[in-house]
Amino acid sequence: MADVEVFLDETPGETRGVIARDGLFTQLILHRDSDRPSDRLGARCVGRIARVEPGLRGAFVDLGAGEPFGFLPLGKDDKTGEGAKLEVEVVAEPRERKGPVLRRLGEASGEPRLLAPGPDVTAILAALAPGIEPQTGVAAIRAALEAEEDALSTALVESSSGLDLMIQRTRALIAVDIDHAPAPGHDSRKNREAANRAGLSHAARLLALKGWGGLVVVDLAGVGLHGDTIMKMARAAFAGEPQAAFGPLSRFGLMQLSLPWRRTPLDERLLDGRGRPTLATCAIDMTRRLRLALLSDPATPRLVARCAPDVAVLAAPLVEALGPRAGVRADSLIAVGVVRIEEAR
């Protein structure tokens, strides 16, 4: 049995749920107060077909919250036309500036509107780790910060198996490179097998943590690999994803698989197009770190976070929600993304 820990961090502006299994983070669920409820996974809405796109075999659906509209795949013989009212469910959240992907539930009437929001973070954690009470407070904040760092990483080295792993996403696919460092005096074939097993396991974990889906190409360590052995490793690694589809191992040591998209990728939630934290991310992160300082130091009467002016503007209402012991101060000499927490004087 895996040792499972669950964390719930409710920082003003953002709620995070984190799951760790055997000391490794496997899930990071992030909901922001600014999210459109109609875009969250599992939300049910009445939608109006805004336009049908035969070339895409689908329709764009107005959910009542403006663009980007949701996308509803249509069957070859589906005659649904513009203006039709349908009850739909979100099966994949927005990504890459596209709206959510929808599933038709039935006919509907009335104006586009939200019927029921998707499950909140607490409910999601309960479904993923039933019966385990989430840890909150300091432990949850630290887990939220560490899980974010893990999720945004692109490289992993594990000395016990000799694993050297890289994982990157392009517009077309996700590339996973599994390599290994031979250890003197050890069986190189067994070392490669251990590295491939560990690499596939970590790849599955990191893909889930990042919220990535689509086509995945894995470059395995070594040549002349045994296809059946590799496929058993891969299926075991991705056993938690029932919709994973596997392709055969190529003679070049490449394996392909397909994973469903469900949640908005974490990097798209937190970073801008240049890979830097957005101002909103900086403001929430500063608030989270200030909250950690307040909980860790209950004796200090008041703590103030100093940050860049643009971040301070967004953070002010979030910090106010922390109570009278918390404050924020704009400092034009501090770069965006940097925060200094100090006792108020």
Side-chain angles (χ1 to χ4, degrees):
M1 290 290 291
D3 181 18
V4 181
E5 293 181 284
V6 179
F7 305 90
L8 178 64
D9 168 34
E10 297 179 287
T11 289
E14 184 180 275
T15 300
R16 292 187 180 190
V18 179
I19 297 178
R21 300 179 187 275
D22 293 329
L24 297 173
F25 296 113
T26 59
Q27 296 284 344
L28 173 53
I29 312 300
L30 187 154
H31 283 181
R32 283 188 173 169
D33 296 352
S34 58
D35 292 344
R36 301 199 313 189
S38 60
D39 287 352
R40 283 184 179 166
L41 189 66
R44 290 190 300 108
C45 303
V46 170
R48 178 185 61 83
I49 302 294
R51 64 181 186 274
V52 176
E53 295 287 351
L56 298 177
R57 292 190 179 181
F60 289 96
V61 182
D62 178 5
L63 302 177
E67 297 194 54
F69 294 151
F71 181 76
L72 176 67
L74 297 176
K76 183 178 180 181
D77 299 321
D78 198 318
K79 303 301 183 182
T80 301
E82 293 183 7
K85 307 289 181 63
L86 302 173
E87 182 178 343
V88 294
E89 179 184 18
V90 174
V91 295
E93 293 180 346
R95 61 183 177 88
E96 297 176 342
R97 296 179 294 280
K98 301 174 183 177
V101 178
L102 310 172
R103 176 171 70 93
R104 184 203 309 247
L105 298 178
E107 304 299 319
S109 61
E111 293 302 308
R113 64 196 184 275
L114 178 69
L115 295 176
D120 62 15
V121 174
T122 301
I124 295 170
L125 291 176
L128 292 173
I132 300 179
E133 188 70 21
Q135 301 178 50
T136 58
V138 170
I141 296 173
R142 288 177 175 161
L145 293 170
E146 291 171 9
E148 175 188 326
E149 182 179 358
D150 201 8
L152 294 178
S153 65
T154 59
L156 182 148
V157 175
E158 185 180 80
S159 57
S160 60
S161 61
L163 171 67
D164 183 355
L165 181 143
M166 289 287 295
I167 181 168
Q168 295 177 315
R169 179 162 72 108
T170 70
R171 289 185 60 181
L173 53 82
I174 297 164
V176 178
D177 180 31
I178 298 175
D179 214 339
H180 88 291
H186 290 77
D187 187 320
S188 60
R189 183 186 63 81
K190 289 185 177 180
N191 279 0
R192 286 196 300 270
E193 185 173 303
N196 283 327
R197 181 179 289 105
L200 288 166
S201 178
H202 281 295
R205 178 181 67 84
L206 290 173
L207 288 170
L209 198 60
K210 293 172 180 291
W212 288 357
L215 176 64
V216 182
V217 178
V218 183
D219 183 6
L220 295 145
V223 294
L225 303 172
H226 193 279
D228 289 344
T229 300
I230 293 297
M231 291 310 300
K232 287 180 181 178
M233 290 181 186
R235 293 185 185 279
F238 289 89
E241 178 45 77
Q243 294 186 34
F246 300 88
L249 179 68
S250 81
R251 63 192 181 95
F252 301 108
L254 299 176
M255 186 191 71
Q256 297 183 29
L257 65 145
S258 176
L259 299 173
W261 286 102
R262 289 197 180 93
R263 302 192 184 279
T264 303
L266 193 73
D267 51 340
E268 293 184 20
R269 301 298 308 269
L270 300 178
L271 309 178
D272 62 18
R274 297 175 296 176
R276 300 174 181 174
T278 65
L279 286 177
T281 295
C282 291
I284 294 173
D285 179 72
M286 192 210 70
T287 306
R288 177 173 286 110
R289 293 178 186 278
L290 180 56
R291 180 167 171 255
L292 175 60
L294 291 167
L295 292 174
S296 302
D297 181 11
T300 300
R302 194 163 188 265
L303 292 174
V304 171
R306 300 172 70 94
C307 61
D310 288 346
V311 176
V313 170
L314 294 178
L318 306 179
V319 171
E320 184 178 2
L322 294 178
R325 291 183 60 222
V328 60
R329 187 171 300 160
D331 189 333
S332 59
L333 299 179
I334 294 181
V336 171
V338 176
V339 57
R340 296 173 184 166
I341 298 174
E342 58 193 33
E343 184 177 353
R345 301 186 185 278

